[in-house]
């Protein structure tokens, strides 16, 4: 079967630091785009990340927060790990991120 694709489906994904979102990538956000933000509970970068989430929501994108402590009200959904020190948060957020990727792949 030359020339016939066996392509069944594709869910594209990109990753980038939140500081790079406003350098052209923001133009790719549409109502079908899911943005997953790692939001620290207390950090100097929290306000910048929340600003990026507001930019995603302004373009009608779907925002999901992975955070420690409290849910992020600006997001459509928040996966919350227990509060912890900022240096330990990657250890708590990594399993959430991996489970989110796993269950997304199953769908």
């Amino acid at each position: 079967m030359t020339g016939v694709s066996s392509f069944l489906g594709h869910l594209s994904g990109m990753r980038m630091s939140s500081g790079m979102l406003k350098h052209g990538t923001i133009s790719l956000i549409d109502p079908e785009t899911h943005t997953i933000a790692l939001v620290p509970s207390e950090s100097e970068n929290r306000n910048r990340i929340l600003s990026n989430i507001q930019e995603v929501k302004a373009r009608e994108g779907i925002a999901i927060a992975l955070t420690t402590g409290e849910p992020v009200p600006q997001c459509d959904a928040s996966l919350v790990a227990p509060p912890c020190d900022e240096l330990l948060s990657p250890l708590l957020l990594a399993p959430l991120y991996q489970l989110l990727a796993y269950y997304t792949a199953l769908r």
Side-chain angles (χ1 to χ4, degrees):
M1 296 177 56
T2 58
V4 177
S5 175
S6 62
F7 179 76
L8 297 176
H10 178 72
L11 181 62
S12 68
M14 293 187 288
R15 69 172 194 265
M16 68 191 60
S17 82
S18 60
M20 296 300 294
L21 185 64
K22 294 184 180 178
H23 296 287
T25 313
I26 195 77
S27 64
L28 299 175
I29 303 292
D30 63 17
E32 299 295 317
T33 304
H34 292 70
T35 301
I36 301 168
L38 301 176
V39 184
S41 59
E42 295 179 17
S43 170
E44 60 186 50
N45 291 325
R46 182 179 174 86
N47 289 334
R48 293 182 196 141
I49 294 170
L50 292 177
S51 171
N52 285 339
I53 290 171
Q54 289 174 344
E55 292 284 338
V56 168
K57 295 304 294 172
R59 287 164 177 77
E60 300 179 0
I62 299 167
I64 302 167
L66 297 179
T67 186
T68 56
E70 298 291 321
V72 179
Q74 294 93 330
C75 290
D76 297 303
S78 292
L79 298 174
V80 182
C84 67
D85 184 69
E86 182 181 355
L87 294 175
L88 296 176
S89 64
L91 296 175
L92 291 176
L93 294 178
L96 289 176
Y97 200 83
Q98 291 173 343
L99 285 170
L100 181 63
Y102 173 75
Y103 285 110
T104 300
L106 289 179
R107 289 182 44 172

